[in-house]
């Protein structure tokens, strides 16, 4: 089993975005030492508690402080951007860090309706055009527009010796089908929606046509917290649960709550139901329990790579969680 890291660069209550971004760089460095295959950082805009609005900037910083781990975006929100510019940026990264760059593509807005308008006047229209935009992006990465195409003489320079590896991120058969038709690798967000996950992956594999990837390649992204004991892991998870609850109520502006705040918060019965639903989509436990749950998911999804998202208030607890999982499985 391969393991990778998905980082949303969370800001803990009482900390600054600068601290969060520095912790992300340290996570990537440690992940390389622990044996993780790749490190992806997510894109969010004016999103309460999350600090990375420009993955491409962080990847330049992280790439300069690591040597072997693959690094990439999870994901570039393509409806906000022109495919040509995205190809230029990631070709540049692939030129600087040969054979190490992944380019994850997503369609989510990544922020509020107002943020979406600030980024892209025609976001919904661009969502509808995503299949066309994705194909255009792949042509720029491959530098292979047909001779009659208006972009046939345009290159997304600098052209690297090894192109960025495109991944389409999604949670539905529609995204799986698009990845399959275009010969792209596919990442399924189990932590966002576990409904029909295995069926979605089957759709991808059965309809795959070779492109930049010659065979189907998939990642299952899961949310997990691991600690020395089950009790400690359950306790660490409370901060993330409260953060999500408060965001849903419009109260989450101060970042990931401390454990103390999470334990004294006056939860309603409705809150408890929401937490149980969150817990159902997560892996929480000691190293052996996390291993067993990942192996169970592997038997369901039939994939050999899991990308782990971990959010805790204390960055040291997050790092320890990744370390324990790696020690148990790698």
């Amino acid at each position: 089993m391969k393991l990778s890291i998905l980082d949303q660069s969370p800001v803990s209550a009482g900390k600054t975005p600068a601290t969060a971004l520095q912790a992300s760089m340290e996570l990537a460095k440690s992940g390389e030492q622990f044996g993780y295959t790749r490190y992806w950082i997510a894109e969010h805009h004016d999103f309460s508690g999350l600090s990375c609005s420009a993955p491409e900037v962080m990847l330049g910083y992280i790439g300069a402080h690591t040597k072997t781990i693959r690094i990439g975006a999870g994901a570039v929100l393509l409806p906000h951007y022109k495919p040509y510019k995205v190809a230029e940026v990631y070709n540049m990264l692939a030129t600087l860090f040969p054979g190490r760059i992944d380019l994850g593509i997503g369609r989510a807005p990544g922020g509020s309706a107002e943020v979406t308008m600030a980024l892209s006047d025609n976001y919904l229209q661009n969502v509808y055009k995503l299949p066309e935009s994705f194909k255009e992006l792949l042509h720029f990465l491959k530098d292979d527009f047909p001779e009659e195409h208006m972009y046939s003489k345009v290159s997304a320079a600098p052209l690297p010796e090894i192109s960025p590896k495109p991944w389409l991120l999604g949670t539905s058969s529609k995204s799986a089908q698009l990845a399959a038709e275009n010969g792209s690798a596919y990442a399924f967000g189990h932590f966002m929606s576990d409904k029909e996950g295995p069926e979605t992956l089957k759709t991808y594999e059965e309809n795959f046509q070779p492109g930049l990837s010659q065979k189907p390649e998939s990642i299952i992204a899961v949310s997990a917290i691991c600690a020395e004991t089950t009790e400690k892991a359950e306790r660490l998870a409370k901060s993330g649960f409260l953060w999500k609850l408060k965001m849903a109520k419009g109260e989450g502006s101060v970042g990931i709550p401390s454990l103390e705040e999470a334990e004294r918060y006056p939860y309603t019965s409705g809150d408890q139901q929401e937490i149980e639903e969150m817990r159902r989509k997560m892996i929480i436990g000691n190293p052996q329990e996390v291993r067993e749950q990942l192996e169970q998911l592997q038997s369901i999804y039939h994939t050999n790579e899991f990308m782990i998202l971990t959010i805790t208030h204390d960055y040291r607890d997050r790092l320890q969680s990744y370390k324990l999982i790696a020690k148990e499985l790698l």
Side-chain angles (χ1 to χ4, degrees):
M1 183 187 297
K2 293 181 181 179
L3 297 178
S4 293
I5 295 169
L6 176 59
D7 182 13
Q8 293 183 336
S9 202
V11 183
S12 294
K15 303 295 183 181
T16 66
T19 301
L21 294 170
Q22 186 65 27
S24 288
M25 190 275 286
E26 294 297 338
L27 175 59
K29 286 175 61 178
S30 297
E32 181 173 83
Q33 296 170 3
F34 298 158
Y36 283 86
T37 298
R38 64 188 92 236
Y39 166 95
W40 287 1
I41 190 164
E43 175 183 333
H44 294 90
H45 300 279
D46 193 27
F47 198 102
S48 174
L50 303 180
S51 62
C52 184
S53 57
E56 63 274 20
V57 175
M58 278 301 293
L59 292 175
Y61 181 53
I62 287 168
H65 286 83
T66 53
K67 295 179 180 179
T68 58
I69 193 169
R70 292 191 66 90
I71 57 176
V76 171
L77 306 179
L78 190 57
H80 292 314
Y81 311 110
K82 297 288 281 186
Y84 179 63
K85 182 58 179 177
V86 174
E88 278 189 322
V89 167
Y90 283 83
N91 274 351
M92 183 82 173
L93 287 167
T95 300
L96 290 169
F97 310 113
R100 295 179 55 201
I101 300 300
D102 291 330
L103 172 51
I105 296 296
R107 55 169 282 179
S112 66
E114 293 81 2
V115 163
T116 299
M117 287 297 295
L119 281 166
S120 174
D121 291 337
N122 299 306
Y123 169 75
L124 289 178
Q125 181 180 346
N126 292 338
V127 168
Y128 296 138
K129 292 170 54 181
L130 182 66
E132 176 185 333
S133 297
F134 187 54
K135 289 181 173 69
E136 186 175 299
L137 172 62
L138 295 179
H139 278 302
F140 279 125
L141 293 177
K142 293 184 287 185
D143 198 33
D144 70 346
F145 279 101
E147 187 174 337
E148 66 276 9
H149 196 280
M150 65 181 295
Y151 296 149
S152 62
K153 296 181 180 179
V154 176
S155 291
L159 297 179
E161 291 186 11
I162 303 175
S163 295
K165 186 174 186 63
W167 292 77
L168 190 66
L169 281 63
T171 58
S172 69
S173 59
K174 191 172 182 179
S175 59
Q177 185 71 38
L178 182 61
E181 290 173 353
N182 288 279
S184 167
Y186 182 63
F188 180 81
H190 176 90
F191 72 98
M192 298 173 66
S193 173
D194 58 348
K195 295 180 180 178
E196 300 182 353
E199 293 84 356
T200 299
L201 214 60
K202 187 176 181 181
T203 294
Y204 167 68
E205 292 169 349
E206 290 181 346
N207 293 278
F208 183 83
Q209 300 173 24
L212 277 173
S213 292
Q214 293 302 305
K215 60 182 181 179
E217 297 179 68
S218 61
I219 291 174
I220 305 301
V222 300
S223 180
I225 292 180
C226 184
E228 292 82 359
T229 66
T230 307
E231 294 73 21
K232 183 176 180 180
E234 290 283 357
R235 183 167 185 257
L236 293 177
K238 292 179 180 179
S239 291
F241 292 152
L242 179 56
W243 172 58
K244 291 179 181 177
L245 284 175
K246 293 183 75 172
M247 281 199 301
K249 297 177 181 180
E251 304 171 359
S253 61
V254 295
I256 312 303
S258 67
L259 288 176
E260 292 73 21
E261 180 184 355
E263 290 180 333
R264 67 171 182 262
Y265 187 82
Y267 298 96
T268 66
S269 59
D271 292 338
Q272 295 291 356
Q273 290 176 3
E274 290 290 329
I275 288 173
E276 284 306 311
E277 178 62 19
M278 287 185 245
R279 180 181 278 107
R280 189 182 64 79
K281 297 177 184 176
M282 288 185 66
I283 294 174
I284 303 172
N286 63 43
Q288 183 178 349
E289 290 168 336
V290 170
R291 179 192 187 102
E292 290 171 354
Q293 291 179 69
L294 282 173
E295 289 177 342
Q296 182 179 8
L297 281 180
Q298 187 177 38
S299 69
I300 294 171
Y301 279 102
H302 305 291
T303 190
N304 73 335
E305 183 170 352
F306 287 91
M307 180 165 277
I308 297 171
L309 168 66
T310 300
I311 292 181
T312 61
H313 172 77
D314 193 314
Y315 299 121
R316 293 169 297 182
D317 290 327
R318 178 177 64 163
L319 201 59
Q320 179 70 355
S321 178
Y322 282 108
K323 182 177 182 179
L324 291 171
I325 294 172
K327 187 175 180 180
E328 182 72 19
L329 282 155
L330 298 178

